[in-house]
Amino acid sequence: TAAQIRASARAEDPTLEARFQRLQTEIGLDAETADLLTADHALADVFDGALATYAAPASVAKWVINVLTGFLAGNTASSLTFAGGELGTIAQWVDDGTLSTTAGKEVLEVLVKEGGTALAVVDARGLRQLSDEGALAAIVDQVLSDNPGQVAAYKGGKTGLLGFFVGRVMAASKGKANPQMAKSLLQGRLDAE
């Protein structure tokens, strides 16, 4: 199995075994996560580089294991043409709301295929999430005024329409609105009136 192959690689390479142990004792990751991150030195290097940029081990590990390895498509991390810090930047931007998870995955996929920097990809593709409350409030107000029937139905007890309104805000912002912020603003407007 893959786990046996990784264990065997660590048995033959004391420095890889030391990295495996360090991820558990110093970083605090569980053995399964540490095992996956020390499949080889290149993958461990990506994790370490990402962690140096964004000190959130669980979040960074999730991006390396669940997203990056999927984009490698049979290649190893040694084939990557970007620094691990770029992955740390993506994880941080998704966690702080600068990027949606979907946009973060898109940025990482471009980096895997083409290299470069997260910032360059985000700027070139216009992927920053709209989290400016003033700008988002204007979109929310427009959506509510454009849909008076649904507003009346919501106030009449059909609170499931909140998803409809969030969808309209997302469409009006071309997918850039921070969905949690949009939902919060919508609820505030709908419940206040």
Side-chain angles (χ1 to χ4, degrees):
T1 68
Q4 290 170 323
I5 293 169
R6 290 189 299 271
S8 155
R10 284 194 302 273
E12 294 173 16
D13 183 345
T15 58
L16 197 55
E17 175 64 26
R19 292 180 95 165
F20 170 68
Q21 296 301 330
R22 183 183 69 84
L23 291 181
Q24 295 172 79
T25 58
E26 291 177 32
I27 308 295
L29 297 175
D30 61 74
E32 182 181 356
T33 302
D35 173 47
L36 293 168
L37 290 171
T38 55
D40 58 54
H41 282 291
L43 194 62
D45 288 345
V46 170
F47 175 77
D48 286 344
L51 195 60
T53 298
Y54 181 44
S59 181
V60 170
K62 180 180 74 175
W63 276 90
V64 172
I65 294 167
N66 297 341
V67 185
L68 176 63
T69 56
F71 289 142
L72 288 175
N75 295 317
T76 65
S78 61
S79 66
L80 295 174
T81 58
F82 64 91
E86 297 302 322
L87 180 59
T89 298
I90 293 168
Q92 183 172 13
W93 285 348
V94 170
D95 286 355
D96 73 17
T98 300
L99 293 178
S100 67
T101 301
T102 302
K105 289 177 181 177
E106 181 179 336
V107 172
L108 185 56
E109 185 174 21
V110 171
L111 291 180
V112 168
K113 291 179 178 174
E114 302 170 13
T117 67
L119 181 61
V121 174
V122 166
D123 287 346
R125 294 179 176 232
L127 294 173
R128 285 183 199 273
Q129 200 165 234
L130 176 58
S131 294
D132 175 86
E133 194 165 332
L136 205 48
I139 294 171
V140 165
D141 291 341
Q142 186 64 51
V143 164
L144 293 176
S145 72
D146 288 349
N147 297 283
Q150 286 84 355
V151 170
Y154 179 92
K155 291 178 182 294
K158 294 195 176 193
T159 56
L161 282 168
L162 186 60
F164 163 82
F165 291 117
V166 172
R168 292 287 187 235
V169 169
M170 294 307 290
S173 69
K174 297 180 176 60
K176 292 186 180 177
N178 178 318
Q180 291 81 16
M181 188 178 281
K183 182 179 179 184
S184 175
L185 286 168
L186 283 161
Q187 276 183 311
R189 299 280 201 283
L190 288 164
D191 294 344
E193 295 173 12

